[in-house]
Amino acid sequence: MSLTSAQILDLAPDASSRKAGQDQAKAAKWSGLGRAGAVVWGEIKGSGANPYRTVADLSGPASKCTCPSRKFPCKHAIGLMLVDAAAPISKAEPPDWVAAWIRGRESRAVSAETRSQQASAPVDEKAQAKRRQAREDKVSAVLGELDLWLGDLMRRGLATVRREPYAFWDRMAGRLVDGQAPGLARRVRAMPGLIAAAPGSAARPEAALALALGRLSLLARAARRLERLTPEQAAGVRAAIGYPVTTEEMAARPGLVDEWAVLAHAVEDEDKLTARTVWLAGRTSGAMAQVVDYGTSGSPLPPVPAAGQDFSGSLAFHPGDPPLRAAFREGRASPAPAGALPGATSVAEALDGFAGALARAPWIDRWPLRLSGLRLGHLADGAMGAGDATGCLTLADSAHVPPLMAVAAGGHVDLFGLYDGFALTPLAMVAGGHLYAVPAQDPRPILVRAA
């Protein structure tokens, strides 16, 4: 199989790697190029005495390079895959170092499967219960502090709060982190950004701030009433607070097998971590899935299917109601068929789905919407929007909206994005049977044709 240039560039860990990878995408720079199935390899001159050896499995995608870079994939792996995308590399017999890498991957896959089938080590249930209770006590205490803080904000009024410096919000976020409620801390740290929203944005700062504080209060109240919720609802609340889901819990979750269309990637920096979200839609089930991975410079993000590919296999959904976050299980990436956006509906139906999600978890910040048969254009207030016969949505102000309009060219399109109750942030569009994705890490006003 082969990947498109857009899919390859979407795998880059950051913007500088994208540019550096494109600089390496010249066949003349490479020697010993070859291909065996979905595996391509080659050697390229680096800063050392010996050329760097680079190999990539396009079906993963996965790669390895002898360069000292800690980024994954490195610029040489990106460049090698781009060379193949421009002109497929000729078949050849794998040299010893490539064959050894292939065998190692196969061996690790077998070992991982064996480990998963082996009985896990006995758990010290008493120690585990003690740690769990200690965290519950910390969270309970910090929820009390949060209640007092929110009450004080309401007594003072939002007009006064809007003048507070960032340090005011960061102090409360720090207390929540200390109280082992990082999910609540992230919500508090996002509030200064709502206050500083640019003029003309879909949400007025005071409205966006009031809504965010209301959601935070609802989540804190739900956390004090877990015993009154269903197990899935309680798990959703705990996940929003920041409780991790254990490996044992995920292993016990059933998998949903489908042909999963990979719609888009999104990458954000969270403190010293890089958070990557992969959005998928089941072609048969119609289910929406969000796979989130975290990486650092020393622990790169794992390989995932590129936007525009299909993942043929199983996803395990995290506990929670409504279900959305998931994890990859067994499966493989494959080329995606041309066609409409899986599970897309009218604007009215999509908004009903959003309302249903809020009814089950009213602290949701953003919810994925898949919309079909839309036209893009200017709304009565001058903002950019998307609509059909059943309604219309404002598009969030973004550098990527103009190229979406240009590609749509006044025709009907399918649109995928995240809706926050005020505006839709587009992440992908299907026009003329082709998927166009918003680049994960490129702020320029461009789209990539992913499939």
Side-chain angles (χ1 to χ4, degrees), residues 166-409:
Y166 179 79
F168 167 79
W169 306 93
D170 194 49
R171 280 194 296 272
M172 188 65 236
R175 287 294 305 126
L176 291 166
V177 170
D178 293 341
Q180 295 189 285
L184 300 179
R186 282 194 293 272
R187 290 171 180 265
V188 172
R189 286 199 171 110
M191 289 181 184
L194 301 176
I195 297 171
S201 60
R204 300 189 312 276
E206 59 273 18
L209 178 60
L211 181 59
L213 289 169
R215 287 169 171 165
L216 181 63
S217 179
L218 282 170
L219 181 56
R221 288 177 180 273
R224 293 185 176 280
R225 295 168 170 81
L226 293 179
E227 70 283 352
R228 303 183 189 179
L229 305 179
T230 67
E232 288 295 304
Q233 289 174 329
V237 172
R238 293 172 68 85
I241 292 172
Y243 282 88
V245 180
T246 66
T247 304
E248 292 78 13
E249 287 179 287
M250 286 304 297
R253 303 288 293 179
L256 180 57
V257 178
D258 205 335
E259 293 289 328
W260 296 93
V262 184
L263 303 181
H265 287 189
V267 176
E268 296 179 344
D269 291 326
E270 296 183 5
D271 296 327
K272 296 182 180 180
L273 298 176
T274 298
R276 180 192 61 206
T277 299
V278 181
W279 293 100
L280 307 99
R283 294 192 180 276
T284 301
S285 65
M288 194 73 220
Q290 175 193 28
V291 177
V292 183
D293 290 303
Y294 293 92
T296 65
S297 57
S299 178
L301 292 163
V304 293
Q309 287 187 309
D310 270 10
F311 175 73
S312 303
S314 173
L315 296 182
F317 281 81
H318 287 233
D321 182 35
L324 182 63
R325 187 168 175 183
F328 287 110
R329 280 193 174 166
E330 64 280 354
R332 59 180 178 81
S334 59
L341 185 65
T345 65
S346 68
V347 171
E349 290 175 302
L351 289 177
D352 285 344
F354 176 62
L358 285 179
R360 296 154 73 179
W363 43 85
I364 290 174
D365 289 321
R366 299 184 298 175
W367 189 252
L369 299 186
R370 290 165 287 170
L371 304 151
S372 65
L374 301 182
R375 287 189 185 273
L376 310 185
H378 290 275
L379 303 178
D381 60 1
M384 307 298 283
D388 59 14
T390 68
C392 63
L393 297 172
T394 299
L395 297 181
D397 188 23
S398 165
H400 301 293
V401 171
L404 285 168
M405 302 282 288
V407 172

Side-chain angles (χ1 to χ4, degrees), residues 22 44 55 73 91 93 95 105 122 131 134 153 161 164 222 264 268 285 294 313 324 326-327 339 376 410 436 448:
Q22 289 172 308
I44 188 168
V55 57
K91 294 182 179 179
E93 188 67 25
R105 277 175 57 79
R131 289 192 298 269
L153 288 186
V161 173
E164 292 288 357
E268 296 179 344
S285 65
Y294 293 92
L324 182 63
L376 310 185
Y436 298 86
V448 293

